Amino acid sequence: MTPEQIADATTAITELQSYVDELTTRRGKGPGRDLISALLEAEADGERLTHGETVTMIANLLVAGHDTAGSQIPCSILVALQHRHELAGVHKDEARLASAVAETMRLEPSIPFIPRTAVAPIELHGTTIPTGSLVFLCIASACRDASAWREPDRFDPDRFVRPDTPRLPNFGAGTHYCIGHALAKIAVEECVRAVLAADPPLGLTEDSADIPWRQVLGRSPARLVVSPEPAA
């Protein structure tokens, strides 16, 4: 990042935190049926988030929830267009659409790494990861691990319809499971559905290898140029 970009980012973060701080204070005085009010009321073992923790949580949700879904949409559309002829009629079948979209996320995740902090020493392949170390788990690699996935590099739109398929790791697990998973899933599915439902069908007008990529928080194609495919 350039010094100007760093300055702009610092200003943006400060303004965002100020906005969320004010919003959280207002919700505390007049709670409603919304996520912020729910976070303010949530308890775990008799403890609640501090005001600062709540502000940080909401700011993270705004940024992560916006960019990750916004980046995954073009990633998933790219994969869907690459396999357009295998997805005929999928947009009309809810179960198959959900499976096909999950498969696009497996093959082309917008977030390839998930950071975690080791809370205890971890022995891994002859190396000790000390307590407190920041570890980046490679989701992109895990999603193509041949020990977990049958034919990991093949696009299989019905993979997630089968009950023996592993769970998609992109949204985390346990206490770290993505709180916005359901919303992100709907957003990506509806965008892919719209592309697959286009009449006449759409196809990419340039080779996938020539498409430039961009990265904010998530990574995604910088453009997807399409045109109607000629009738068979």
Side-chain angles (χ1 to χ4, degrees):
M1 296 176 67
T2 66
E4 291 76 15
Q5 289 174 323
I6 292 172
D8 289 344
T10 302
T11 299
I13 291 172
T14 301
E15 291 178 351
L16 174 61
Q17 289 180 327
S18 296
Y19 166 73
V20 174
D21 178 71
E22 179 188 350
L23 188 60
T24 306
T25 300
R26 281 196 278 124
R27 285 292 189 275
K29 296 176 180 178
R33 298 178 60 185
D34 57 88
L35 178 61
I36 294 176
S37 298
L39 286 173
L40 292 172
E41 293 297 324
E43 289 188 21
D45 300 324
E47 295 186 5
R48 292 186 177 182
L49 293 172
T50 66
H51 180 75
E53 289 170 339
T54 304
V55 169
T56 299
M57 171 73 77
I58 296 167
N60 283 339
L61 285 173
L62 280 170
V63 175
H66 165 74
D67 182 73
T68 52
S71 296
Q72 185 60 56
I73 287 168
C75 286
S76 290
I77 289 176
L78 172 62
V79 178
L81 289 173
Q82 289 172 326
H83 300 275
R84 181 71 181 80
H85 299 291
E86 300 172 56
L87 297 172
V90 165
H91 63 283
K92 300 177 182 178
D93 186 320
E94 295 298 328
R96 292 196 67 209
L97 176 68
S99 174
V101 170
E103 180 73 337
T104 67
M105 294 181 182
R106 183 185 73 83
L107 288 174
E108 203 65 82
S110 65
I111 302 293
F113 296 95
I114 294 181
R116 292 289 182 264
T117 301
V119 297
I122 301 172
E123 296 292 331
L124 188 65
H125 301 298
T127 299
T128 300
I129 299 174
T131 301
S133 298
L134 183 63
V135 181
F136 287 90
L137 308 178
C138 186
I139 296 302
S141 178
C143 283
R144 291 178 183 251
D145 187 342
S147 67
W149 307 93
R150 186 183 298 113
E151 297 182 89
D153 294 325
R154 182 175 74 88
F155 177 75
D156 180 357
D158 297 312
R159 185 185 299 272
F160 289 91
V161 173
R162 296 190 289 273
D164 61 338
T165 299
R167 185 175 179 177
L168 193 68
N170 302 45
F171 294 97
T175 57
H176 290 285
Y177 193 67
C178 176
I179 193 173
H181 163 256
L183 179 59
K185 181 172 176 289
I186 290 172
V188 179
E189 285 179 5
E190 289 307 310
C191 289
V192 172
R193 186 202 305 274
V195 170
L196 295 179
D199 186 16
L202 299 175
L204 289 168
T205 61
E206 62 182 327
D207 189 280
S208 298
D210 296 328
I211 298 175
W213 285 69
R214 60 188 286 276
Q215 180 159 4
V216 182
L217 179 59
R219 52 187 284 279
S220 64
R223 65 172 182 258
L224 290 173
V225 184
V226 301
S227 64
E229 291 186 339

